[in-house]
Amino acid sequence: MPDDEKELEPDFPEEDDEPVDPDEMYQALKTVTPPRNGEEDDDYDEGVSLETAERDNPNESDLKATLRQLFPRFEDKKIDQLARVTMVARIQPDVFKPMLRLTVDSIVRNHLDDDDVTVASVLVIIYSIISIGLEGKGRIDGLELAGSAKDAEELDRISKGLGIA
Amino acid sequence: MVLKPYTYAHASIVSGEQGTGKTNFVVARVFDAYRKNKRTRATEMKKYGEYRTPELKIFCVNVDLYGIPYVSATLAQIIEWLDRDIIQFAIVVIDEGYVGAYNRDPMSNFVKALNMYSLQIRKRRIDFYMIYPISRMADYTYHTIVTERVMCMSYDEKNGMATVQIKKKKEPWRTVTYNARQYQRYFDTDQTVKLPPKKVLKAIQSVS
């Protein structure tokens, strides 16, 4: 066996050795050194992180991009869950105000200790969500968009088939 | 702790010319994952009084991280720890993968072993990142399990923005631009990698 390959063979433990706990071993081996001093000044703006850039990447089909604008997603799981259902519901006009008041009240009460949550911010978000679902307009817009995209796709296919695309 | 199974393994190959931000991209991914894991665990502790998500483990070969807890390892150690099931729910970063995993080397034990374990990385919940100047330099077998290809296109020193192209399996290429400067504090862009002594000796002998 060449010397190179001999050197690469790791030293495996004997079979009767006690199994090692992965978490304990990791805690024993890991190191943390402070971040390096950056060249940024006090006014440095971190800008777009990689995670945000990948999530908001506009390089999608027109339909996907438009749907994302019309039916926004939220970071807060509870609000996002509420939004996904409400935006495609059929909300009657006479229920609009009571629903708005109850929902805002409930969310604000659940976040009384959270300084980032204000009544105004919650009101704007919930109003936007409920207004999308008012009288079923959200689902109508979504269906129209999907229909248009399908028509456009069909038209494109026919044009290519006829050689005029 | 009950862990959700992975639907597919995350094996990435990151390539690009010198100075286009390959290591920066991978460090950005590592930092974002570490930060997300830390926040999730903090929320769980606050809500449930216990951790329900394990701590994300980070293993690096040929790159040192700053401000992020990690384990620095050699290629041989990575293989050993894979065999002993020590590397689980982890991110493994191999920078300058051509030092030890180069497709022109004769099939060394390391390349064979790494590719053997690469096929199980989904089960071990490991995210693999291999960095090469040219993706063709990576061993052929690694290419068969790659689920994401990243090509680093450019880094603008004036505004600190890096542009990369990403292709995941069954998806088209997409271009992503992000601020790379914020991640520079977490690694040393001037860090060099030492070749194994045997390789250096071989190179010297071949020219003398």
Side-chain angles (χ1 to χ4, degrees):
Chain A
M1 190 187 291
D3 288 344
D4 280 350
E5 292 191 0
K6 268 190 194 165
E7 295 252 343
L8 286 173
E9 281 182 8
D11 186 19
F12 287 99
E14 297 294 328
E15 281 189 12
D16 56 356
D17 280 358
E18 287 181 15
V20 175
D21 182 69
D23 293 327
E24 277 179 19
M25 184 155 170
Y26 182 75
Q27 296 302 324
L29 289 172
K30 77 176 181 185
T31 55
V32 186
T33 44
R36 296 170 63 227
N37 288 331
E39 294 169 358
E40 306 90 14
D41 54 30
D42 290 336
D43 296 328
Y44 178 68
D45 176 16
E46 276 196 353
V48 178
S49 69
L50 177 60
E51 192 179 10
T52 308
E54 286 193 77
R55 192 184 60 219
D56 297 341
N57 175 262
N59 200 6
E60 331 172 271
S61 67
D62 290 339
L63 174 64
K64 273 187 183 171
T66 310
L67 281 172
R68 204 159 44 82
Q69 293 293 327
L70 289 181
F71 300 101
R73 300 293 300 269
F74 299 88
E75 281 190 12
D76 186 284
K77 276 188 184 167
K78 287 203 170 149
I79 293 185
D80 191 58
Q81 199 177 29
L82 180 80
R84 290 173 73 180
V85 171
T86 308
M87 286 192 285
V88 292
R90 293 182 200 276
I91 297 170
Q92 300 300 321
D94 53 349
V95 169
F96 184 89
K97 272 191 190 171
M99 189 173 178
L100 177 68
R101 189 181 298 150
L102 276 170
T103 312
V104 170
D105 187 65
S106 168
I107 292 172
V108 168
R109 281 179 193 277
N110 283 338
H111 292 87
L112 282 172
D113 297 331
D114 193 341
D115 291 334
D116 291 336
V117 175
T118 61
V119 174
S121 61
V122 174
L123 179 65
V124 165
I125 290 170
I126 301 302
Y127 182 91
S128 307
I129 292 169
I130 300 178
S131 62
I132 291 172
L134 187 60
E135 294 183 326
K137 284 181 184 159
R139 58 171 57 200
I140 293 168
D141 288 343
L143 285 169
E144 279 180 356
L145 200 65
S148 305
K150 201 169 177 189
D151 287 344
E153 221 177 272
E154 186 68 20
L155 189 64
D156 192 42
R157 191 182 64 79
I158 293 170
S159 305
K160 279 181 183 166
L162 293 171
I164 53 175
Chain B
M1 276 181 273
V2 176
L3 301 175
K4 289 182 192 172
Y6 273 5
T7 51
Y8 72 94
H10 191 185
S12 300
I13 189 162
V14 181
S15 58
E17 290 182 9
Q18 275 184 3
T20 52
K22 299 184 290 294
T23 309
N24 188 294
F25 175 85
V26 175
V27 169
R29 277 272 179 92
V30 168
F31 177 74
D32 287 344
Y34 161 70
R35 185 172 51 181
K36 191 175 177 183
N37 179 255
K38 199 173 162 188
R39 281 182 187 162
T40 303
R41 282 165 63 85
T43 307
E44 284 169 355
M45 180 51 87
K46 201 174 167 183
K47 203 171 177 181
Y48 306 114
E50 60 172 1
Y51 292 123
R52 294 193 174 183
T53 303
E55 183 185 356
L56 181 68
K57 300 178 185 62
I58 301 166
F59 297 86
C60 294
V61 177
N62 296 335
V63 63
D64 294 328
L65 299 181
Y66 299 81
I68 304 171
Y70 78 107
V71 171
S72 179
T74 61
L75 294 174
Q77 283 173 322
I78 295 290
I79 299 299
E80 183 187 342
W81 292 340
L82 280 171
D83 186 67
R84 290 166 70 182
D85 279 341
I86 288 167
I87 302 183
Q88 296 181 28
F89 194 71
I91 296 178
V92 176
V93 176
I94 302 177
D95 195 356
E96 307 207 9
Y98 51 89
V99 179
Y102 187 21
N103 65 0
R104 285 196 164 204
D105 280 341
M107 284 295 279
S108 64
N109 285 344
F110 167 74
V111 172
K112 279 187 219 169
L114 180 64
N115 289 313
M116 192 169 66
Y117 289 112
S118 291
L119 295 171
Q120 296 181 34
I121 57 177
R122 179 179 72 84
K123 296 175 192 174
R124 294 165 194 265
R125 306 168 55 81
I126 302 170
D127 289 354
F128 247 97
Y129 288 92
M130 291 271 259
I131 303 174
Y132 287 90
I134 308 168
S135 67
R136 278 200 313 274
M137 291 167 78
D139 188 80
Y140 170 74
T141 318
Y142 187 73
H143 278 280
T144 61
I145 55 114
V146 161
T147 54
E148 181 186 54
R149 294 177 194 282
V150 180
M151 280 180 52
C152 297
M153 305 305 290
S154 64
Y155 168 67
D156 188 342
E157 283 191 11
K158 285 183 197 166
N159 58 18
M161 300 297 282
T163 302
V164 301
Q165 288 195 331
I166 301 173
K167 184 187 184 320
K168 293 190 176 170
K169 249 186 175 177
K170 297 181 185 175
E171 287 182 16
W173 284 98
R174 60 185 176 126
T175 304
V176 172
T177 303
Y178 69 101
N179 189 308
R181 205 175 277 162
Q182 62 187 292
Y183 299 106
Q184 286 175 350
R185 70 183 81 173
Y186 302 115
F187 73 103
D188 182 4
T189 189
D190 295 325
Q191 184 177 1
T192 54
V193 175
K194 283 210 166 293
L195 287 175
K198 287 280 180 185
K199 283 193 191 296
V200 174
L201 193 60
K202 227 177 183 177
I204 292 170
Q205 283 170 349
S206 66
V207 297
S208 54

